Amino acid sequence: MAINLDLMRTPPPGIVLVRSIRGKDWSLNTYRYVILLVTFIAYTCYHASRKPTSIVKSVLDPAPHNSSPDGYPWPVGNVFVKENGFGFGKNKGWHPFNGPDGTSRLGEIDVAFLACYSLGMYVAGHLGDTLDLRLFLTSGMIGSGFFVVLFGMGYFWNVHVFWFYLLMQMLAGLFQATGWPSVVAVIGNWFGKRKRGLIMGIWNAHTSVGNISGSLLAASVLEYGWGWSFILPGGLIIVGGILVLLFLAPYPEDVGFPFAHGPTTPKADAVPSDMEAQEAKGSGEQEADDDIVRTGSTLRKSVGLFEACLIPGVIPFALCLFFSKLVAYTFLYWLPFYLSQTEIGGEYVSVKSAGNLSTLFDVGGIVGGILAGYISDKLRARAITAASFMYIAIPCLYLYRQYGSISQTMNIVLMMIAGLFVNGPYALITTAVSADLGTHSSLRGDSRALATVTAIIDGTGSMGAALGPLFTGFLSTIGWDAVFYMLMVCALIAGLLLSRQVAAEISEKTSKLMRSSSGRQSHEAPTTQPLLSDQR
């Protein structure tokens, strides 16, 4: 069935239209830029549609001090200075989230979304390696947007039943699971391993850009009713799904180029080939490339979950992501709520101000993702880079909790630094590491495991992402110190889980250094011996 779907695949209609207008096709590099742009926009829409719940938490479950004035000047201008209340009155909230157990219920809808997201990820990854990724991704985006919009319609329909909001979050989570395995698989199909960390580090900025745009979009319409904070991001991801349907070519051979990891030579059985090398092939090998284009679709076959788990490094990185994503998603879902309930420089910020201010955490995350990718490429050490970032994140989290309330400037600086080190390894593992393992040499180039491996790693990470917001909902009632201690312990565990990979990378680099040193000595030996004999 999957093979028949592959054979029937045609270029996306938008690309067909562009070809007919231009009268000629794009180059391979142009296609790569288009793929980067379309997948960037797609996952920006995914993350933008996840932000509304964090923005409206303080409206659904307001705290007594939220009515305090917040008209102090922020360094970035008056974008953070807005009136409070948004038409709800003081401490009104929205039933069923404004009772004594309101904070816990907010945590429950977060965990409902993320639990369905993580469970759906395993199925979505397997389907992504089997079905047409373009249609699969499009259906996921439109379905996700539909249920996000329905959640917001609860405001206009005056729905006060908890199970309605819980169900909408669960269904949205299932459709959101289609996103990450699909976009990582597409990028892995189009790009080889050279500079993959840097490319994916820059590309992974869509996570933070989506968080920022979702926060600003949801906060901008909050005063007209919290339902609009869901309807606009939901509509955005539906539009993004239409863009994917029109312009996304999941595989190079769909538009006439050879697959990056296809077995083009006998050596491909041992090491997956790189598209850069295929571009440089002479005309003598053009016929072989044409064969790959014609038969590439039939070469694809799905890899089972168990087989993908046996790929070296998949399990350790998946477990590491469990804890690192727990930390990252706790900030994603609870940072605006934390900011609105924490005294900063002697004053409290409004709900809208807190939502806007929380975007600076993601600004630091953009820098962290790019920096982690660049460093891992230079060192050729993914595990060392990821573990180092997680260890450094521990004191950053402590400093933010202890000193972030001193002043507005201090809060911004420490928040951005924390975002850099928290999101750096999370971005690295979910992008470059997943793509590396999905095209691992142990697969011998005859299978596509990109979506499956990505689903295993990010699905496991999403389980941690589900638990983080859930625990925060309970621990925040004790005190925010308890929440930050939990985050620091999780960051420590995340780093320790990569100890074996770190040791292996250090051992490999040490052995290479010793070999190069011995090679230089043997090269210098013939020149020194004649000199000694001449002296005698």
Side-chain angles (χ1 to χ4, degrees):
M1 182 66 179
I3 292 178
N4 291 336
L5 287 172
D6 284 333
L7 292 174
M8 293 170 61
R9 181 180 290 119
T10 58
I15 292 179
V16 173
L17 178 62
V18 171
R19 283 177 174 176
S20 63
I21 294 174
R22 296 181 74 245
K24 59 180 180 179
D25 201 2
W26 285 329
S27 66
L28 178 61
N29 282 334
T30 301
Y31 271 113
R32 282 175 168 165
Y33 292 137
V34 171
I35 293 300
L36 284 173
L37 178 61
V38 173
T39 53
F40 186 97
I41 293 174
Y43 215 70
T44 295
C45 294
Y46 269 103
H47 259 264
S49 67
R50 297 177 193 176
K51 282 299 291 185
T53 53
S54 68
I55 300 300
V56 304
K57 273 186 171 72
S58 294
V59 172
L60 301 177
D61 179 29
H65 54 245
N66 276 2
S67 59
S68 300
D70 64 342
Y72 49 83
W74 286 85
V76 292
N78 62 1
V79 67
F80 296 128
V81 184
K82 300 291 180 182
E83 63 275 358
N84 215 355
F86 311 112
F88 291 95
K90 294 183 180 180
N91 308 323
K92 236 181 181 180
W94 186 269
H95 184 75
F97 302 105
N98 60 349
D101 59 346
T103 304
S104 299
R105 286 194 166 186
L106 290 171
E108 288 170 11
I109 64 170
D110 287 343
V111 77
F113 173 90
L114 291 167
C116 291
Y117 175 78
S118 61
L119 293 175
M121 186 80 70
Y122 295 102
V123 178
H126 183 72
L127 292 176
D129 282 329
T130 308
L131 304 177
D132 187 328
L133 283 171
R134 178 170 63 92
L135 299 179
F136 186 59
L137 188 58
T138 298
S139 61
M141 295 180 72
I142 294 177
S144 175
F146 176 73
F147 288 109
V148 171
V149 169
L150 282 182
F151 190 104
M153 290 303 297
Y155 169 77
F156 299 98
W157 294 338
N158 204 28
V159 177
H160 295 278
V161 181
F162 177 66
W163 67 261
F164 172 82
Y165 300 104
L166 188 70
L167 181 61
M168 292 304 102
Q169 283 291 82
M170 292 172 68
L171 293 173
L174 286 175
F175 278 95
Q176 287 258 334
T178 61
W180 192 240
S182 300
V183 295
V184 173
V186 171
I187 293 299
N189 290 337
W190 278 92
F191 291 87
K193 291 188 177 181
R194 188 175 65 181
K195 294 184 180 179
R196 178 179 280 170
L198 178 59
I199 291 172
M200 285 193 157
I202 298 172
W203 172 75
N204 191 67
H206 54 53
T207 299
S208 296
V209 171
N211 292 340
I212 293 170
S213 59
S215 297
L216 296 177
L217 188 62
S220 67
V221 294
L222 191 58
E223 57 193 297
Y224 304 109
W226 63 260
W228 286 111
S229 297
F230 287 86
I231 292 175
L232 261 63
L236 177 66
I237 192 173
I238 291 174
V239 173
I242 297 173
L243 177 68
V244 167
L245 179 65
L246 294 176
F247 290 101
L248 182 66
Y251 309 101
E253 61 266 41
D254 290 344
V255 288
F257 291 96
F259 176 46
H261 309 292
T264 57
T265 67
K267 290 182 180 180
D269 286 341
V271 181
S273 59
D274 195 334
M275 284 186 82
E276 285 83 353
Q278 291 178 3
E279 284 182 85
K281 287 184 178 180
S283 59
E285 298 181 1
Q286 184 61 44
E287 184 177 353
D289 284 346
D290 292 340
D291 291 338
I292 295 299
V293 172
R294 289 193 299 270
T295 63
S297 293
T298 62
L299 288 173
R300 289 193 292 272
K301 65 179 182 179
S302 176
V303 173
L305 288 174
F306 180 74
E307 184 181 354
C309 287
L310 296 179
I311 298 174
V314 168
I315 296 300
F317 277 106
L319 293 175
C320 173
L321 189 64
F322 177 94
F323 290 97
S324 62
K325 199 168 182 178
L326 185 154
V327 178
Y329 266 62
T330 298
F331 278 95
L332 173 68
Y333 280 96
W334 285 95
L335 182 57
F337 187 80
Y338 169 74
L339 290 170
S340 68
Q341 297 205 359
T342 302
E343 191 175 3
I344 302 174
E347 296 177 287
Y348 290 97
V349 299
S350 69
V351 177
K352 188 169 185 177
S353 300
N356 291 332
L357 180 59
S358 67
T359 61
L360 296 177
F361 180 85
D362 292 293
V363 173
I366 294 175
V367 179
I370 297 173
L371 187 62
Y374 177 77
I375 293 174
S376 69
D377 276 344
K378 283 294 183 182
L379 298 179
R380 295 186 178 181
R382 309 285 197 214
I384 292 175
T385 305
S388 298
F389 270 61
M390 291 311 304
Y391 291 140
I392 298 174
I394 297 172
C396 292
L397 292 171
Y398 178 80
L399 291 174
Y400 178 64
R401 172 56 184 162
Q402 295 298 319
Y403 301 103
S405 59
I406 292 178
S407 67
Q408 303 127 18
T409 303
M410 183 69 74
N411 188 283
I412 290 174
V413 172
L414 292 178
M415 184 195 305
M416 293 179 69
I417 294 174
L420 188 153
F421 288 104
V422 167
N423 283 356
Y426 158 50
L428 180 65
I429 295 172
T430 54
T431 54
V433 170
S434 295
D436 288 350
L437 296 175
T439 55
H440 195 269
S441 59
S442 64
L443 295 170
R444 299 185 178 277
D446 62 356
S447 300
R448 293 199 177 186
L450 282 167
T452 303
V453 169
T454 301
I456 292 171
I457 293 177
D458 200 47
T460 305
S462 296
M463 291 183 182
L467 293 177
L470 177 65
F471 291 157
T472 301
F474 292 103
L475 292 176
S476 62
T477 59
I478 301 173
W480 286 103
D481 284 340
V483 174
F484 276 84
Y485 285 134
M486 176 193 72
L487 298 179
M488 288 185 281
V489 170
C490 289
L492 176 62
I493 296 173
L496 292 175
L497 283 168
L498 292 181
S499 297
R500 186 172 181 179
Q501 279 63 39
V502 169
E505 288 179 353
I506 293 175
S507 177
E508 180 184 358
K509 293 187 175 302
T510 303
S511 61
K512 283 183 179 180
L513 184 62
M514 293 178 64
R515 285 197 301 269
S516 63
S517 178
S518 61
R520 285 195 300 269
Q521 291 177 358
S522 62
H523 179 73
E524 294 171 356
T527 60
T528 57
Q529 185 62 34
L531 290 174
L532 292 173
S533 60
D534 291 342
Q535 287 177 354
R536 287 195 297 269

